[in-house]
Amino acid sequence: MSKVAKNTKKPSKGIASAQSLSAFVKSICDVMRRSNCASALQYVPELTWILFLRILDAQETREAEQAEALGTTFTPALRRPYRWKDWAAPWSDDTDHPKTPEGDAEGWKRQALFAAGDGKLFEFINRELLPHLHGLDIDVRTGQPNPAASAKQRIIGRIMTAVERVRVDDEANLRDILDKVHEISIDDIDDTHFFTLSQVYEDLLLKMGEKNSDGGQFFTPREVIRAMVHTVNPSLGQTVYDPCCGTGGFLAVAYEHMARGLGASPASTDIERLKHKTFFGREKENLVLPIALANLVLHGIDQPNLWHGNALTRRATYDALFKHAPAQFDVILTNPPFGGKEGKDAQKQFAFETSATQVLFMQRMLAELATGGTCGVVLDEGLLFRTNESAFVETKRKLLDECELWAIVSLPGGVFSTAGAGVKTNLLFFTKGKRTERVWYYDLSWVKVGKKMPMTLAHFGFGSNGELLNDDDLPAALIADWRADDSNAGMPFPSYARMLSSRGASRYSWSVDFAERRANAREALEPLRENADRERARIVDLKDELKRLKKAKAPHASIQAVEAQIGNAEKTVRELEAEAATIDAAVYDLKAINPNVIATVDERTPDQIISSIAELGKTVTDALARLRTLLHENEKQEP
């Protein structure tokens, strides 16, 4: 007799925030951990493809309903029995249970597999479902791209390419996971928090990194990304690119920003352009790329044009989704890896060779940014101030000569602490096509942030939609010192967002005149170079003299004297060149040092300081005496 599954229909749960989504997904991970997916590097990919197929099914259902209402044709990417609603959705024989377009109760295939016996669900997924999904992109018989695949099918195939089999080893646990995932409905998720899969993924990796386990990869906090996107303000018609896109955070946030800018009733042509021809990225890691694709599709980017491979060597693993990418892009938003070391294979691709990954990415971005295009990038402090390596200096020279570097934001040291990294970072914003004459700096390095107090968009002075926040809506810790200063009474707090439009001066912002810095350097370099040229000319004359003396077989002492003069002159040239190089390199020290910091000076005399120390000592002595008294009294009361 065939088995019949219990009625597993559950009421749909509303997920109104990223926090509740994270908690819900954590409960799913708990099931995975007890079923052969103990490591995050095992359960995160498993979670990704299952969640993706669930939300994809919900999206296609909604799109089919919309097409029917408009009287148009809808072609689904997946068909029976490979849709979530067929093999994964919980089944019920209730009359009000949802039906498939063919009239079957949702979950009909799952129920048939359950009735057929243990192991049949695994067998279907591993032998039928996964090969079918892989074949959407690559023809399994030829190993070549499937010419009949739609753009969405090609993306689905890429997302599923790393999934060879189900990792969960118990069917009861798998059904439990499917039931839980089914409760996530796009109709129940607030649009403002719409399925932040990458955030959930990052949360898991961060926790893993904190335990010194097998993760802890580096990701950019979403609030920092949003501040960067609001600053650059990309709009429809521009291409947006991330050369090291990770889980797609910059592209996803840029999409949200640009979609919001289309208004409540956007034209269908505008939507089509935004979803298909706007977002481009590259990613190296096999684990991360499928998650990036899933994240972007589920955010609403129907065609994320992602390239898989090493962006520095330009060796592609898979480039079919990047075929129509332009050579240059209007907007670049990124956080290149820093601290990494690249080999000669990557270095030889660049004009200024170095093993420093972030410097190579910076050179690549300067080449890939279109004239008139704008870049927002996270960079480590080292790249800004280092002037002792030629590649660092020359890359910054190229940046300042070919682009207008119009803003540098100094971030607190704890911004990336939740990502397992305490490195000091800065945000750089520049536009290609005009030489840098003046750089505006804004200092946020003094703000206290960390794992328990992460940096928020409000610290930048932005509201959730990029609007300027009033002082009452800013974090209290941000404006406390400002309000405590009577000289600021009645004046609005000079937040980054408030100062950005004018790029004016304040307690936290200032400008550096790079035209003047260049001019001063030229003035200082001129006598050094003139002296070096004179010494070089003198060396030429001395070498001619040496040649003459040797030809005339002059006394050895005479020859040695001229050789010594040549050696001294060459040494002088080297010293002059080194001094000139130091002055020239100093021009490209971009480190943010706030000249407006209000230093607290202790104006007490030595006697007053000694008296204060003595008073504190007396307070401690008195406190210890009281504690001893209480201790003795307690001992007397004990039987």
Side-chain angles (χ1 to χ4, degrees):
M1 182 177 178
S2 297
K3 295 189 292 184
V4 178
K6 295 180 181 178
N7 186 338
T8 54
K9 184 180 179 183
K10 300 179 181 179
S12 182
K13 294 184 178 179
I15 300 175
S17 71
Q19 289 78 15
S20 59
L21 176 60
S22 294
F24 190 78
V25 171
K26 182 180 181 298
S27 70
I28 300 172
C29 293
D30 289 340
V31 180
M32 289 185 166
R33 274 190 285 266
R34 66 174 185 253
S35 189
N36 196 38
C37 293
S39 163
L41 291 180
Q42 294 173 329
Y43 66 71
V44 170
E46 190 88 336
L47 173 65
T48 297
W49 73 264
I50 293 174
L51 282 168
F52 172 74
L53 292 179
R54 164 65 184 120
I55 303 301
L56 174 68
D57 185 73
Q59 284 182 329
E60 293 220 313
T61 297
R62 186 164 64 180
E63 289 171 8
E65 292 171 350
Q66 292 172 345
E68 184 178 2
L70 295 172
T72 58
T73 302
F74 172 72
T75 303
L78 297 180
R79 297 184 182 276
R80 168 193 176 102
Y82 304 114
R83 302 166 300 192
W84 177 276
K85 61 173 59 71
D86 299 316
W87 67 270
W91 175 85
S92 171
D93 55 5
D94 289 351
T95 56
D96 61 344
H97 187 70
K99 299 291 192 295
T100 68
E102 296 79 14
D104 297 310
E106 286 193 359
W108 66 271
K109 180 66 175 179
R110 172 175 159 177
Q111 170 59 21
L113 293 168
F114 177 79
D118 293 338
K120 293 301 181 181
L121 179 58
F122 282 153
E123 187 177 312
F124 168 76
I125 295 174
N126 293 329
R127 297 184 182 180
E128 294 185 48
L129 176 66
L130 292 178
H132 174 77
L133 296 177
H134 295 159
L136 292 176
D137 176 33
I138 299 295
D139 190 320
V140 293
R141 296 166 299 179
T142 65
Q144 298 299 312
N146 184 351
S150 67
K152 181 177 281 189
Q153 288 175 327
R154 199 171 295 285
I155 291 165
I156 294 170
R158 275 297 98 190
I159 292 171
M160 302 303 298
T161 188
V163 186
E164 297 178 357
R165 60 179 178 80
V166 181
R167 283 189 174 272
V168 175
D169 63 359
D170 180 86
E171 278 202 0
N173 284 339
L174 177 59
R175 287 193 292 268
D176 189 12
I177 291 166
L178 297 179
D179 288 345
K180 287 179 178 291
V181 170
H182 189 77
E183 294 179 35
I184 299 175
S185 168
I186 59 175
D187 296 324
D188 298 317
I189 299 175
D190 189 326
D191 286 341
T192 60
H193 306 101
F194 179 61
F195 202 66
T196 52
L197 176 59
S198 61
Q199 178 178 328
V200 174
Y201 174 72
E202 290 159 21
D203 287 346
L204 296 171
L205 282 184
L206 296 184
K207 292 174 184 176
M208 184 173 58
E210 289 168 7
K211 296 176 181 177
N212 297 316
S213 183
D214 50 2
Q217 295 186 39
F218 192 77
F219 294 94
T220 314
R222 279 296 175 272
E223 298 294 83
V224 173
I225 292 178
R226 290 192 172 93
M228 294 173 67
V229 171
H230 291 324
T231 299
V232 174
N233 193 26
S235 58
L236 183 69
Q238 294 182 311
T239 50
V240 181
Y241 172 63
D242 185 346
C244 37
C245 68
T247 58
F250 280 99
L251 301 179
V253 173
Y255 170 78
E256 293 170 352
H257 179 92
M258 296 169 78
R260 195 162 49 240
L262 296 181
S265 302
S268 58
T269 52
D270 290 345
I271 295 174
E272 196 276 339
R273 182 172 188 175
L274 191 65
K275 288 175 174 286
H276 294 85
K277 302 177 182 179
T278 298
F279 300 98
F280 302 83
R282 299 181 191 268
E283 177 51 40
K284 177 181 178 181
E285 297 297 330
N286 295 334
L287 170 68
V288 177
L289 182 82
I291 295 169
L293 285 167
N295 182 37
L296 295 177
V297 170
L298 297 175
H299 266 83
I301 302 174
D302 291 346
Q303 189 171 327
N305 304 281
L306 299 190
W307 183 93
H308 186 196
N310 189 321
L312 297 179
T313 63
R314 278 300 193 265
R315 289 180 178 170
T317 302
Y318 181 87
D319 62 0
L321 300 177
F322 208 73
K323 290 293 187 183
H324 302 293
Q328 294 182 311
F329 303 89
D330 302 311
V331 173
I332 295 179
L333 290 160
T334 190
N335 177 8
F338 30 86
K341 300 294 182 182
E342 296 295 328
K344 290 295 182 182
D345 188 35
Q347 294 182 42
K348 66 184 180 182
Q349 306 285 331
F350 297 87
F352 314 125
E353 293 186 20
T354 176
S355 63
T357 304
Q358 72 274 33
V359 179
L360 299 181
F361 266 109
M362 193 68 186
Q363 293 182 57
R364 187 71 81 195
M365 285 185 283
L366 291 173
E368 293 182 319
L369 185 63
T371 300
T374 297
C375 175
V377 57
V378 183
L379 289 174
D380 64 305
E381 191 87 338
L383 190 146
L384 261 64
F385 72 76
R386 277 188 63 178
T387 57
N388 61 346
E389 185 179 333
S390 174
F392 281 73
V393 174
E394 295 307 317
T395 299
K396 288 185 284 187
R397 189 196 305 275
K398 186 176 180 66
L399 166 65
L400 293 169
D401 286 350
E402 297 182 2
C403 303
E404 181 187 9
L405 174 60
W406 44 268
I408 295 178
V409 183
S410 178
L411 297 180
V415 167
F416 288 92
S417 61
T418 53
V423 65
K424 176 72 175 64
T425 53
N426 302 267
L427 308 181
L428 274 67
F429 300 97
F430 55 88
T431 301
K432 189 174 181 179
K434 183 180 177 182
R435 194 182 195 195
T436 299
E437 301 295 337
R438 180 178 295 272
V439 178
W440 179 69
Y441 287 82
Y442 192 92
D443 183 18
L444 280 168
S445 64
W446 56 276
V447 177
K448 304 298 183 186
V449 298
K451 293 180 181 179
K452 294 184 178 180
M453 295 187 300
M455 195 160 197
T456 67
L457 195 54
H459 282 101
F460 292 91
F462 287 119
S464 58
N465 294 328
E467 70 276 15
L468 178 66
L469 290 180
N470 295 320
D471 285 8
D472 291 341
D473 297 319
L474 296 175
L478 181 71
I479 62 176
D481 289 345
W482 172 267
R483 285 185 166 176
D485 189 339
D486 292 339
S487 64
N488 297 324
M491 298 172 60
F493 179 77
S495 67
Y496 167 73
R498 177 167 276 123
M499 301 302 296
L500 180 61
S501 59
S502 64
R503 298 177 203 162
S506 71
R507 179 186 292 188
Y508 311 107
S509 58
W510 67 99
S511 294
V512 172
D513 189 333
F514 266 80
E516 181 181 358
R517 181 182 284 191
R518 286 191 188 96
N520 291 339
R522 282 196 301 270
E523 185 177 347
L525 288 170
E526 187 173 354
L528 295 173
R529 287 171 174 166
E530 288 178 352
N531 290 338
D533 288 342
R534 279 195 294 270
E535 287 297 304
R536 290 191 191 93
R538 182 167 167 260
I539 290 169
V540 171
D541 292 340
L542 287 169
K543 287 183 176 180
D544 288 341
E545 174 67 10
L546 180 63
K547 187 183 297 184
R548 186 186 65 78
L549 290 173
K550 287 182 176 180
K551 186 174 182 180
K553 297 183 178 180
H556 184 63
S558 299
I559 292 175
Q560 279 188 319
V562 174
E563 287 176 339
Q565 291 180 62
I566 292 173
N568 289 334
E570 288 176 338
K571 180 182 177 183
T572 300
V573 170
R574 289 194 298 271
E575 290 173 346
L576 289 168
E577 288 177 340
E579 186 177 354
T582 299
I583 293 172
D584 177 63
V587 174
Y588 304 99
D589 183 348
L590 303 176
K591 186 176 180 180
I593 302 175
N594 189 349
N596 305 321
V597 170
I598 298 176
T600 303
V601 180
D602 192 341
E603 297 179 346
R604 294 176 297 174
T605 65
D607 283 344
Q608 288 173 326
I609 294 173
I610 292 171
S611 297
S612 177
I613 294 173
E615 184 65 29
L616 289 173
K618 183 177 181 301
T619 301
V620 172
T621 301
D622 292 344
L624 289 174
R626 287 195 298 272
L627 284 173
R628 287 193 186 96
T629 300
L630 291 171
L631 181 61
H632 292 155
E633 290 177 353
N634 186 55
E635 290 174 347
K636 290 177 182 179
Q637 292 175 3
E638 290 181 354

